[in-house]
Amino acid sequence: MTMAARTAADFVPDTADLDELAAAVQGCKGCDLYLDATQAVFGAGSGSAQMVLVGEQPGDQEDKTGAPFVGPAGRLLDKALEAAGIDRDRLYVTNAVKHFKFTLPERGKRRIHKTPSRTEVVACRPWLIQELTALHPDVVVLMGATAAQSLLGTAFRLTAHRGEALRLPGDDESVQLRFDPRVAVTVHPSSVLRGPPSERDKAFDALVRDLRFAAGLLP
Ligand code: URA
Ligand code: SF4
C-alpha cells in the first residue's frame, strides 16, 4: 500500500466561506511549517474581489500580525498598486504557503525568511485552491516563482511569460478549478527591494506594468 503524501487536503473544510477557511487553517498540520510559526496567515481582502494576488509565504511581520503583505514587501506592493491605479481594498491578497518558514540566527536578530520547498508548496496548495474556488475571481496574479510554480508547475519560468494572459493547466487535477480565470505573472514585490539600487526604479516600473496588464484582463 502506498501512503498518500501528507498535504493540507485533510484539513481543508469543504466550504466556500472564507471566514470558516481562515479559522480552519489555524489547525492545519499538512506539513511541518506549523510547528515553528506563530500562526497561519490566510488571505485577506474583499470577498467579492475580481482579482486575487498570490505571493509566496508570510514574512516575519505577517507571521506576527496574522495578515498577508503588511511588512516591507507589502508596503512595496501597496506603492506599486497605487502607481498602477489599483485599489487594494477591492482585491484579495494571499500566499502560496500559509505558514512562515525561517531560520533563527543568533538571539535577538530578526528571523530570516527561507524559501519553502516544493513539498511544502504542494502540501499547502489545497488552501490556495479552496480560496480561489470560494472567490472565483476573473483574474489571478501570481507574484514570484513560488506562486507561479504552485499553480503552473515546476517547469514554468515566469520571466518568459510576463505580460501574457495565461490560463491554469487543465490537465493537472490538483489545480483544477470549477472556473477558468485569466492568469498573469509578475515578480515577487520583495525582489524589487533586493535588487541593486540602480535597478530598483526599472524593476518597480516593470512590476507596475505587470499589475496594470493584469487589471486590464478584468472583464
Ligand atoms: N512576502 C510574501 O510573499 N507574502 C507576504 O505576505 C509577505 C511577504
Ligand atoms: Fe498547512 Fe500550509 Fe501551514 Fe503546511 S504551510 S501546515 S500545509 S497551512
Side-chain angles (χ1 to χ4, degrees), residues 5-55:
R6 185 176 154 216
T7 78
D10 293 339
F11 301 90
V12 179
D14 185 18
T15 176
D17 185 319
L18 289 165
D19 292 333
E20 262 180 63
L21 292 170
V25 76
Q26 298 305 337
C28 185
K29 299 178 177 177
C31 73
D32 284 341
L33 293 184
Y34 76 93
L35 288 169
D36 295 328
T38 307
Q39 58 191 320
V41 178
F42 206 57
S46 167
S48 55
Q50 290 179 289
M51 186 153 115
V52 172
L53 308 188
V54 185

Side-chain angles (χ1 to χ4, degrees), residues 92-147:
Y92 183 91
V93 179
T94 191
N95 285 301
V97 170
K98 309 306 193 213
H99 277 106
F100 180 35
K101 182 176 185 178
F102 60 92
T103 47
L104 269 181
E106 323 98 81
R107 229 170 227 263
K109 289 259 179 68
R110 208 160 53 82
R111 298 173 297 172
I112 310 288
H113 155 276
K114 264 183 94 175
T115 303
S117 70
R118 179 67 187 162
T119 308
E120 290 152 353
V121 172
V122 170
C124 210
R125 191 166 54 196
W127 289 113
L128 179 59
I129 298 292
Q130 195 68 13
E131 274 179 307
L132 294 176
T133 303
L135 289 155
H136 52 85
D138 297 300
V139 175
V140 176
V141 185
L142 304 172
M143 303 188 295
T146 300

Side-chain angles (χ1 to χ4, degrees), residues 44-97:
S46 167
S48 55
Q50 290 179 289
M51 186 153 115
V52 172
L53 308 188
V54 185
E56 182 189 70
Q57 64 168 346
D60 179 75
Q61 293 187 36
E62 290 78 14
D63 172 77
K64 289 176 181 152
T65 60
F69 281 103
V70 294
R75 282 191 290 278
L76 194 285
L77 176 61
D78 284 344
K79 269 204 280 178
L81 288 170
E82 197 188 335
I86 301 168
D87 185 355
R88 180 162 167 173
D89 294 340
R90 298 182 58 191
L91 304 176
Y92 183 91
V93 179
T94 191
N95 285 301
V97 170

Side-chain angles (χ1 to χ4, degrees), residues 146-218:
T146 300
Q149 294 187 359
S150 173
L151 295 185
L152 299 172
T154 48
F156 185 81
R157 296 287 168 265
L158 81 83
T159 46
H161 297 281
R162 295 178 77 172
E164 288 178 21
L166 306 165
R167 301 187 118 98
L168 296 180
D171 52 357
D172 182 345
E173 251 180 70
S174 58
V175 294
Q176 277 209 351
L177 299 171
R178 277 163 257 146
F179 64 103
D180 188 22
R182 294 296 82 75
V183 175
V185 295
T186 189
V187 291
H188 193 284
S190 66
S191 73
V192 175
L193 298 168
R194 277 196 309 267
S198 59
E199 293 292 316
R200 272 185 210 163
D201 287 352
K202 235 169 62 190
F204 180 80
D205 291 346
L207 172 62
V208 172
R209 203 179 316 125
D210 289 343
L211 291 170
R212 217 181 264 133
F213 170 78
L217 298 174
L218 287 166

